Amino acid sequence: MPDTSTVFEGCDQYNFTAFNETLCTKLPQNRLNSTVLRSVCSAMDSLTASQVSRVASNGCARANQVSSFFQALLESYASPCEPRSKVTRSVSESQLSLSDLVCLYDIWTNSDSVDPASVALCSENDQESFVLAVCYNGKLLDILIKDNDWLFAYCSNFSDAFTIVSVYNWCTYSSWVSDQIDVTLVAFCWNNDRAQFEKLLCEDLGLFLQIMSNPENNWIVANCTPAEEPFDIAIVDNVDQWCSVFSSASFCQYGQWAETVVDPSIVALCWDQDQLSFSKNVCCNMDLLEKMTQDPQNEWLLTVCRGNSSETANETKEVLELVCRYSEWTDPAGIDMTDIAVCSEFDTVSSALRKAANNIVALLVTLEESQLVSLQVTENIRLSVLQSVMDYLKHEESFTNKRELLQCFGNLLMNLMQTGREVSDGNFFLIKEYFQLPIKDLKPILMPVEIKAGRQILQYLNRNWAALKLSDRYLQTMASVFFQKYMSIDSTIFLEFGQLLPYFSVLEISSLPGLQNNKAALVSINQIFHKLTLDQRREFGKWFGSSTQFLNVTQWPMSAIQDAGSLLAYLPFEKFKTLSAAQMFFGLDILLNNTLTGLQRRFIAQSILKTYHNLTAPDFRRLGNLTCLANTADLLVYMQTPALDAIKLNIQDCVRLGSVVPSEMVFSLLVERAVLAEPGSLSPEQLYHLAVIMPSLGIPFINQLLPSQVQAALPALSSVDFSPAQQVLPEMLASLGTLISGVKAETLRVLPTDTLLTALPNITLQRSRLSPAQHTAITTKLWGSNQVTGWLGALDPLLPETPLLSVRSRLTPLLSNLSTVSHRAWNTQQAKLLFRESLKAFSDIREDGFLSLGMISQGVDCETLKRRFLSSSSSVISRILLFLHGLPAQLHSSLKKCITNESYNFSFSAGLLEEMGAQVAVELPVSIIKRFPVDMMETFRRIIVNAPEYFLRLPSIKQSLLVDKVVQRLV
C-alpha cells in the first residue's frame, strides 16, 4: 500500500490516469481478482479525462471514501502540486497534548517496532491523523500489524477503500504458510473477500487443511455444495494420495477438542486416518463424545463408537497378537509401516526392544528405508523409538554395539530428535554419545553424519564447551572432519563452529568460503582470536584480505572497521596500506591490542599525523609510542598547543623503553640545543625533564653536572637506566637513600668496587629494601677483590646474605687473619665451612684454641664437640657452655641437640644451668628437668622468665609439660 501520510490541499493536478496504468492493469495477473477492486477499475476505464478530473476534485473536497482511496494509491503519481506544509509547533512544551508527544508517525515509520500501547492510545485520541498516517501507509502498517492485528478491523471501519487495498495486499492466499497465518487475517479476508476465499477453500485441499488445522478457525463453514462441483475431479482423485502423508499428530489433537470447536470435516478425517487413537481418545471419553455429537453433523459417531469397552479391549488384544510379532521383524522389506504404527500406539515398541537388541536394528532399518521421517512420523512412533534407543544405550555395555548403532543409524535418530517435542530428560542423550567416543573411532563415525545432524552436534558442543573437557586431539579431529564434509555444501555452518575455530589448520583457513561480508562470521572469528596461533591469525588475515570488498576500501563505513576487528591487524601489508587514516584512527584501539609489525606501526603513525593537524592530548595518549614513529615536522605544529605535554611524555616513554627516537625529534620537542651547551647552569626542573634522555646525551655531558644538581634531580634520575660507564659520580649513588632499591642488579654488578664501597653505608642502611638479586650482586662484586679481608668490618651487615662460594674463594686470606675473622657475624653455613677448614689447618685444637675461634666456633660439628670437650671435666664443660651461651648468634638446632643428648652425663647444678643459658636449657629432656630440686627449679624458672623467646619457640605440648613440672616442684 503506498505511503499517503501527507495530505495535499488541492487535487486538480493529480494524474489519475496513472491508476488505470498500474494497479488496474495488474488485476489479471493477480490471483485475488477482488470484485470490489475490479468494479472500481472498470468504472475508471469508462470515464473521460475531464470526468476523471471532476471525480477527483469532488472526492478531495468531500473527503469521501473513494477519494481517500485514490489519494492513498496515487500519491506517487501526482504532478508537482504543493503539499500542505506541516504545522510548525510553536506552542510551549506545557501546551502539548499527549497525542503530540506520543503519536510521532514519521518516527514510527523508521522504527523496527512500536510500543503497542502507544499505537492503541493514538488510535483512540488522534483518530483522524492516525487513519491518514497508518491505515493508508503500507510501510508503517506492515510494521504495526505484527503486534497490533486489530488494525485490520479498525481501519476497515473507516473506509471501504482501505478494505479494497488490504484485500489486494494481504489476502494473497497462494503465499500463506501454515505457521504464519494469523487468525485475525483469516477473519478479515473471510469477512471482506468471502467469495474468493470460500472458493479457494473448496478447491484447494492444502489451503483448507492449513486453515482448519488451527482450532481458532473452526467457526468458518465453507459452502462447497453449489451447482458446480466444489472439488476438481483431479483433487478428489488425489485425496487418497494426500491421506498417505496425513499426520494425526498435526490435526487430531484430541486433548484440545474438549476446549475448542472442532470442524466436522476434521472429525471425519481423524476417524478415517487414525481410528485406533480416535477410539481411545474420543469413543472411550464419554464427556467428549457427548460434546462432539451435539453437532448434528457428528451424530454418526454414536454408531461407529457403539460397543462396550471390554469388547473393544478384547478386539485390540487380538489385533496386537496378530500384528506385533516382533520376532518376525528381521527382514525390513517385509514389515508394514501400518503395523509399526499400531504396535507403537498400543504395545509400546520399547518393551519388545528390551527382549532383543536386533529388534532395534530391524526397526531403524525399516524406518530408514521407508523414509518415514521425511513424511513426518507420527509423534507416538517417534517417541517410542527414541525412548527405546535411549534405554538401550543406557544399559548397553558393549561399545562396539553402540558404535555400530551410531555409525549406521545416527542420521536417522538425529532426524527423529529434531521432530516434534523433545525427549523427556534425555533431550541430548544421542548427541552425548558422540562425545564419549574413543579418539580412534571418532573419524569413521563422524564421516557418515549428515549436515543437519552435524549442525546439532556443533551447537551442543558450543553450549557445553567447559563441561565436556575434550582433548585437543579430539577437537582437531572433529573440526577437520566437519570442515571437509560441510563447508563446501553450506557455508553458513561456519557460524556453528564457534569454539572449534582455533582447531582449524592453516590450510583449512586458507580454503574458507567467501564469508568476509558476513558480520556474524567476523564476530565469531574475533571472539576466539586471542586463542589463535600467530600463523592462524596471519592466515585469517590473508583470507579476509582476499575479499573483493578490498577493491574499494576507502568507501567502507566505519561499522565495517568495527566488524573486522582484529583481522585488520593481520592483513597482508599491501591490503593493510589501503586503509585510510580515518579508518585506522577509528580502529586504533583494536589495532594496538594486537601485535603489529614495525612497518604497520610506522604506516599508522605517519598516515594519521600527516592527515590530522588538530589532534588533542587524549588523541596522543591513544597513539602512545606510535608518536615517536611520526615525522618530526608533523609534530611541530603542536608546539604551542595543549597537546604538547602529551607528545613529550610519549617521546620520553619511547626513550625509556629503548626505542630509537630521532635526535631531531628529541632536540626539537624535548630540549633546545642551546640549553645543553652549559650543563652546569641547568636548573633542577630542566634536569628533571632531561632525565630520561640523559644516557643518550653521553658521558661528557654527565661529567659536567655538579653534585648539587645531581642531588636535586635524584628522584628523576633514579629511574633511568644508565650504562655502567655513565654511572654518575659516587656521591650520587651514596645519596640515593631509599631510591637505591630501584637500581637494577645488572647495574650494581658492573659498578666499580670503589663506587660500591663509597655507597656501602647507604646500602647497609637500606639493605632490608634490597632484593636477593641486589644483595648477591653487591657482595659478589666486593668479595671478588683481593682486599676483602680489610673491609670485613664494613661488610659485616651483609655477611648473612653473602654466598658461600664467595667465602670459599677467600679461605686462605681469611684463615691467615683469624683474629679479625673470628669476630664477624657469620651465618651457620659459613661458620661450619670456616671451622672445618680451621680444623684441617690446626689439627690439635684444644680448649683455648676453640675459644679463640669466636663466632666460627658455632660451626663445630657434634663429633668434635663430644670427643674433645663434653667428655672432659665438669669445669671444662662449664667453660665451653658459658662460651657458647655468650656468642651473639642463634645456635643451630643440631648443635643444641648435640649438647642435650650428652646432658645425661652432666653433673647438674644451679650454676651449670646459668652457664648453659635459656637457648640450651629449655631444650633439656623433661626426664632430667623433673628431677631438679627446688633451688635448681627456681633457677630454671628465672632463666625462662629472663629470656622467654626461646621458651615460646617450643612446641605447645612441651611448654605445658615444663610449666607443669615447675609448678609441681615450686608450689
Side-chain angles (χ1 to χ4, degrees):
M1 197 186 316
D3 184 350
T4 59
S5 60
T6 305
V7 182
F8 294 87
E9 291 183 345
C11 299
D12 293 336
Q13 299 182 44
Y14 276 81
N15 183 8
F16 282 85
T17 59
F19 176 85
N20 195 46
E21 295 172 2
T22 56
L23 187 59
C24 291
T25 59
K26 295 180 180 179
L27 277 176
Q29 306 169 17
N30 182 34
R31 182 180 177 184
L32 177 62
N33 289 335
S34 170
T35 304
V36 179
L37 188 57
R38 183 177 294 281
S39 299
V40 174
C41 292
S42 177
M44 284 291 297
D45 190 56
S46 65
L47 296 178
T48 65
S50 61
Q51 288 174 325
V52 171
S53 179
R54 189 160 56 254
V55 168
S57 176
N58 293 338
C60 288
R62 297 184 180 89
N64 57 31
Q65 297 170 341
V66 176
S67 66
S68 299
F69 168 60
F70 284 166
Q71 179 179 316
L73 278 185
L74 302 180
E75 181 181 12
S76 61
Y77 306 109
S79 300
C81 55
E82 293 297 324
R84 179 187 303 166
S85 300
K86 294 185 178 179
V87 179
T88 303
R89 299 191 177 188
S90 57
V91 295
S92 65
E93 189 171 325
S94 61
Q95 295 174 316
L96 293 176
S97 67
L98 184 59
S99 297
D100 292 327
L101 296 173
V102 176
C103 306
L104 307 176
Y105 306 114
D106 290 341
I107 296 178
W108 288 6
T109 304
N110 297 319
S111 303
D112 293 334
S113 62
V114 181
D115 184 4
S118 299
V119 178
L121 182 145
C122 295
S123 69
E124 296 177 4
N125 298 282
D126 191 27
Q127 192 174 94
E128 182 178 353
S129 299
F130 184 93
V131 172
L132 292 173
V134 176
C135 293
Y136 298 114
N137 185 338
K139 180 180 178 182
L140 180 55
L141 193 61
D142 280 343
I143 295 173
L144 300 182
I145 207 75
K146 300 172 185 176
D147 300 318
N148 304 277
D149 49 26
W150 52 269
L151 282 174
F152 280 118
Y154 179 94
C155 290
S156 298
N157 290 335
F158 291 96
S159 173
D160 286 342
F162 168 82
T163 303
I164 294 170
V165 178
S166 294
V167 167
Y168 176 78
N169 284 291
W170 295 92
C171 301
T172 54
Y173 310 109
S174 62
S175 64
W176 284 7
V177 181
S178 177
D179 59 356
Q180 297 178 351
I181 304 177
D182 188 272
V183 294
T184 307
L185 177 59
V186 172
F188 172 82
C189 293
W190 180 263
N191 293 330
N192 295 285
D193 191 38
R194 178 166 178 170
Q196 180 71 10
F197 194 179
E198 188 173 47
K199 182 174 181 294
L200 289 175
L201 284 176
C202 293
E203 294 178 353
D204 190 335
L205 183 59
L207 177 63
F208 175 82
L209 292 174
Q210 287 179 355
I211 299 299
M212 302 312 295
S213 64
N214 188 339
E216 294 187 50
N217 293 328
N218 287 346
W219 56 271
I220 294 177
V221 180
N223 183 8
C224 297
T225 57
E228 62 180 43
E229 191 170 338
F231 288 92
D232 290 343
I233 296 300
I235 294 177
V236 174
D237 290 342
N238 289 332
V239 169
D240 289 340
Q241 180 180 356
W242 175 87
C243 289
S244 67
V245 299
F246 170 80
S247 171
S248 62
S250 300
F251 297 97
C252 305
Q253 301 177 16
Y254 307 113
Q256 299 180 12
W257 284 13
E259 307 297 331
T260 59
V261 177
V262 184
D263 189 89
S265 61
I266 296 295
V267 176
L269 202 59
C270 291
W271 169 257
D272 290 337
Q273 302 299 323
D274 193 33
Q275 286 190 18
L276 288 175
S277 294
F278 191 99
S279 298
K280 181 175 67 175
N281 291 285
V282 179
C283 293
C284 297
N285 186 334
M286 292 294 98
D287 292 338
L288 179 58
L289 182 61
E290 182 180 356
K291 174 181 180 295
M292 302 301 294
T293 53
Q294 289 177 0
D295 187 329
Q297 296 184 63
N298 291 332
E299 289 183 353
W300 57 272
L301 289 176
L302 296 174
T303 301
V304 299
C305 288
R306 190 167 51 200
N308 59 61
S309 58
S310 61
E311 292 176 353
T312 302
N314 290 333
E315 291 175 359
T316 301
K317 182 178 180 181
E318 292 174 1
V319 170
L320 293 178
E321 290 176 351
L322 292 173
V323 173
C324 303
R325 297 181 177 181
Y326 304 113
S327 60
E328 299 176 3
W329 287 14
T330 56
D331 181 11
I335 304 176
D336 191 290
M337 295 312 300
T338 306
D339 294 349
I340 295 179
V342 171
C343 296
S344 68
E345 194 72 39
F346 292 94
D347 192 32
T348 63
V349 176
S350 60
S351 63
L353 294 175
R354 282 194 294 268
K355 298 177 183 177
N358 66 329
N359 287 346
I360 281 187
V361 176
L363 180 59
L364 293 178
V365 171
T366 302
L367 289 174
E368 188 166 56
E369 293 195 355
S370 66
Q371 297 182 343
L372 188 59
V373 172
S374 63
L375 303 179
Q376 195 173 2
V377 181
T378 60
E379 189 75 355
N380 290 332
I381 295 179
R382 187 185 76 83
L383 291 177
S384 296
V385 172
L386 287 177
Q387 187 63 49
S388 300
V389 174
M390 182 169 67
D391 292 342
Y392 171 74
L393 290 174
K394 283 182 178 178
H395 298 94
E396 178 58 54
E397 297 181 356
S398 170
F399 175 75
T400 301
N401 292 342
K402 288 186 177 182
R403 180 187 61 203
E404 292 175 355
L405 185 68
L406 293 176
Q407 198 163 4
C408 297
F409 304 107
N411 291 316
L412 173 65
L413 291 169
M414 294 287 275
N415 283 333
L416 288 174
M417 288 186 67
Q418 298 175 55
T419 306
R421 302 188 304 269
E422 293 298 344
V423 185
S424 63
D425 60 345
N427 292 353
F428 303 104
F429 77 94
L430 183 65
I431 298 178
K432 292 177 183 177
E433 292 293 332
Y434 284 95
F435 294 106
Q436 296 173 11
L437 296 171
I439 188 67
K440 65 181 180 64
D441 296 307
L442 182 60
K443 185 173 181 178
I445 292 180
L446 289 181
M447 286 301 293
V449 174
E450 296 173 354
I451 189 169
K452 188 176 181 182
R455 190 182 297 272
Q456 196 169 10
I457 291 174
L458 289 172
Q459 290 171 352
Y460 181 86
L461 172 64
N462 282 307
R463 286 195 301 268
N464 300 275
W465 182 268
L468 289 172
K469 298 180 180 178
L470 302 170
S471 68
D472 287 345
R473 187 181 169 198
Y474 182 101
L475 295 169
Q476 287 168 351
T477 303
M478 176 172 281
S480 178
V481 171
F482 283 175
F483 184 96
Q484 295 171 24
K485 277 185 60 67
Y486 306 144
M487 202 64 73
S488 60
I489 300 174
D490 183 0
S491 62
T492 62
I493 199 170
F494 176 85
L495 304 178
E496 308 294 352
F497 277 88
Q499 300 276 10
L500 272 185
L501 293 182
Y503 296 93
F504 282 5
S505 68
V506 171
L507 183 61
E508 288 166 345
I509 295 173
S510 67
S511 60
L512 282 173
L515 294 170
Q516 294 91 336
N517 294 332
N518 188 313
K519 180 178 179 179
L522 298 182
V523 169
S524 295
I525 295 171
N526 276 285
Q527 284 178 339
I528 53 82
F529 213 75
H530 63 285
K531 297 182 179 180
L532 301 178
T533 65
L534 182 59
D535 288 341
Q536 287 175 316
R537 295 182 184 188
R538 288 174 175 167
E539 199 59 45
F540 267 117
K542 289 180 183 178
W543 166 80
F544 183 59
S546 66
S547 170
T548 55
Q549 62 182 323
F550 276 90
L551 297 176
N552 196 8
V553 175
T554 56
Q555 299 301 315
W556 287 7
M558 290 306 176
S559 59
I561 298 296
Q562 185 173 357
D563 294 342
S566 295
L567 286 167
L568 293 174
Y570 295 91
L571 285 169
F573 186 70
E574 63 271 15
K575 298 297 177 71
F576 185 84
K577 67 182 181 182
T578 62
L579 295 172
S580 68
Q583 290 169 331
M584 288 186 289
F585 194 56
F586 177 81
L588 186 61
D589 294 337
I590 296 175
L591 290 171
L592 293 180
N593 279 335
N594 290 277
T595 304
L596 299 172
T597 65
L599 194 59
Q600 286 176 312
R601 292 170 60 83
R602 185 174 298 277
F603 177 75
I604 295 171
Q606 295 184 358
S607 298
I608 291 175
L609 287 163
K610 189 176 293 295
T611 303
Y612 297 102
H613 296 101
N614 58 346
L615 298 179
T616 63
D619 292 334
F620 277 102
R621 283 194 283 272
R622 284 183 66 204
L623 284 168
N625 292 347
L626 292 184
T627 306
C628 306
L629 300 174
N631 292 318
T632 303
D634 293 328
L635 295 176
L636 291 177
V637 298
Y638 295 96
M639 286 298 292
Q640 305 300 323
T641 68
L644 183 60
D645 286 342
I647 294 174
K648 287 183 176 180
L649 287 174
N650 287 346
I651 296 174
Q652 290 174 353
D653 284 342
C654 291
V655 175
R656 186 179 294 111
L657 294 172
S659 303
V660 177
V661 181
S663 58
E664 178 188 11
M665 185 179 293
V666 172
F667 294 120
S668 298
L669 294 164
L670 290 187
V671 62
E672 297 178 7
R673 291 183 183 273
V675 174
L676 302 179
E678 299 181 7
S681 64
L682 294 175
S683 66
E685 183 179 359
Q686 290 174 312
L687 279 176
Y688 178 84
H689 290 294
L690 285 175
V692 70
I693 64 168
M694 197 174 290
S696 63
L697 296 178
I699 294 177
F701 176 86
I702 296 173
N703 286 338
Q704 294 181 61
L705 296 176
L706 301 175
S708 59
Q709 289 176 298
V710 174
Q711 183 68 30
L714 275 180
L717 294 173
S718 62
S719 61
V720 178
D721 289 332
F722 290 94
S723 70
Q726 290 175 327
Q727 290 301 323
V728 196
L729 304 173
E731 293 88 342
M732 176 181 173
L733 189 63
S735 304
L736 282 178
T738 59
L739 295 177
I740 197 170
S741 61
V743 181
K744 292 183 178 180
E746 293 81 359
T747 302
L748 293 170
R749 192 174 295 119
V750 295
L751 286 176
T753 303
D754 292 344
T755 301
L756 277 179
L757 281 174
T758 304
L760 202 54
N762 183 43
I763 294 173
T764 301
L765 189 63
Q766 306 298 334
R767 70 187 184 95
S768 62
R769 298 176 181 271
L770 300 180
S771 68
Q774 289 172 311
H775 277 294
T776 301
I778 294 170
T779 55
T780 301
K781 183 70 176 182
L782 293 175
W783 277 81
S785 172
N786 292 330
Q787 304 174 20
V788 66
T789 54
W791 312 328
L792 286 179
L795 289 177
D796 220 29
L798 300 179
L799 280 182
E801 290 83 19
T802 300
L804 194 61
L805 286 176
S806 296
V807 178
R808 187 186 297 277
S809 67
R810 298 297 171 192
L811 279 176
T812 300
L814 289 174
L815 295 178
S816 301
N817 195 6
L818 282 178
S819 59
T820 301
V821 172
S822 62
H823 295 90
R824 303 280 66 86
W826 307 106
N827 63 33
T828 301
Q829 296 304 319
Q830 294 165 343
K832 285 185 176 182
L833 170 65
L834 291 172
F835 184 87
R836 187 166 58 250
E837 296 302 320
S838 298
L839 198 60
K840 291 179 182 178
F842 314 105
S843 58
D844 191 23
I845 295 181
R846 298 298 177 182
E847 179 184 348
D848 292 342
F850 180 79
L851 299 178
S852 68
L853 289 177
M855 291 293 292
I856 298 177
S857 299
Q858 63 174 311
V860 63
D861 61 282
C862 187
E863 182 62 29
T864 300
L865 185 64
K866 290 191 298 182
R867 179 165 48 83
R868 299 197 179 189
F869 307 114
L870 297 185
S871 59
S872 302
S873 62
S874 297
S875 60
V876 173
I877 293 175
S878 294
R879 287 195 295 272
I880 294 297
L881 293 177
L882 181 61
F883 169 72
L884 294 175
H885 176 205
L887 291 176
Q890 297 290 331
L891 299 181
H892 193 263
S893 57
S894 62
L895 179 59
K896 291 186 286 185
K897 185 177 182 180
C898 180
I899 296 172
T900 56
N901 285 344
E902 291 297 310
S903 64
Y904 290 99
N905 301 319
F906 294 174
S907 298
F908 277 97
S909 64
L912 185 63
L913 286 175
E914 293 278 8
E915 293 161 352
M916 189 176 288
Q919 255 198 99
V920 177
V922 296
E923 301 287 347
L924 291 171
V926 176
S927 59
I928 291 178
I929 295 173
K930 69 179 182 181
R931 296 200 298 267
F932 288 171
V934 174
D935 63 328
M936 288 178 60
M937 192 65 80
E938 175 59 27
T939 301
F940 181 70
R941 183 194 65 80
R942 188 174 64 254
I943 290 173
I944 294 176
V945 172
N946 291 336
E949 64 271 18
Y950 302 108
F951 173 80
L952 296 175
R953 292 174 188 167
L954 296 174
S956 58
I957 187 170
K958 185 167 185 180
Q959 290 178 2
S960 300
L961 287 172
L962 291 181
V963 170
D964 182 59
K965 300 307 176 185
V966 170
V967 171
Q968 287 181 11
R969 181 65 64 196
L970 298 180
V971 174

